[in-house]
Amino acid sequence: QVQLVESGGGLVQPGGSLRLSCATSGFTLSHYTVAWFRQAPGKEREGVSSSTRSSDGSTRYADFAKGRFTISRDNAKNMVYLQMKNLKPEDTAVYYCAAEVLGSGVLEADHYDYWGQGTRVTVSS
């Protein structure tokens, strides 16, 4: 049974940092592309960053994430991370971890087969 469980969200002040974690189980992480998406209130879900399977090993970032967010993965521990720094109020959203077998890293939600339940990030003073 495939599971993805996000954690690490919370309230942070503008300019602060957070590290989101995604614990995966039920599949071989190294064979999957993983990604982070987010959905702000009243907005559509949007891609944040992706990391392709080990044989490819590339990462991709949305423009708003470049230079501020870093995706990483530990296949041995079945974990995916999103380090976020210099957070802005517009980063406030529910952040989701997603996985796609093989995959190309494209940041389009309908490409991904498995999703976590999300973790809420609020950036506010």
Side-chain angles (χ1 to χ4, degrees):
Q1 173 185 357
V2 172
Q3 281 194 314
L4 297 93
V5 180
E6 303 93 334
S7 61
L11 174 64
V12 62
Q13 291 188 342
S17 299
L18 276 178
R19 188 176 83 153
L20 305 183
S21 299
C22 175
T24 72
S25 60
F27 62 101
T28 303
L29 182 58
S30 62
H31 296 173
Y32 281 67
T33 288
V34 291
W36 289 94
F37 287 79
R38 70 184 188 182
Q39 188 165 19
K43 295 188 177 182
E44 292 188 355
R45 192 169 298 191
E46 62 179 348
V48 177
S49 180
S50 65
S51 168
T52 56
R53 63 195 187 279
S54 298
S55 60
D56 181 358
S58 64
T59 57
R60 189 176 301 192
Y61 295 90
D63 286 344
F64 65 79
K66 291 177 181 177
R68 298 191 301 129
F69 295 1
T70 303
I71 191 170
S72 61
R73 59 197 293 166
D74 185 334
N75 292 329
K77 295 183 178 179
N78 297 312
M79 295 294 296
V80 183
Y81 304 99
L82 184 69
Q83 178 69 50
M84 305 185 293
K85 64 179 182 179
N86 191 23
L87 284 161
K88 306 174 182 181
E90 52 264 42
D91 294 318
T92 295
V94 177
Y95 284 71
Y96 299 90
C97 179
E100 175 191 13
V101 62
L102 302 180
S104 63
V106 63
L107 291 173
E108 295 177 7
D110 58 5
H111 281 243
Y112 291 82
D113 305 305
Y114 305 107
W115 292 84
Q117 83 291 345
T119 185
R120 186 175 301 275
V121 172
T122 302
V123 185
S124 175
S125 55

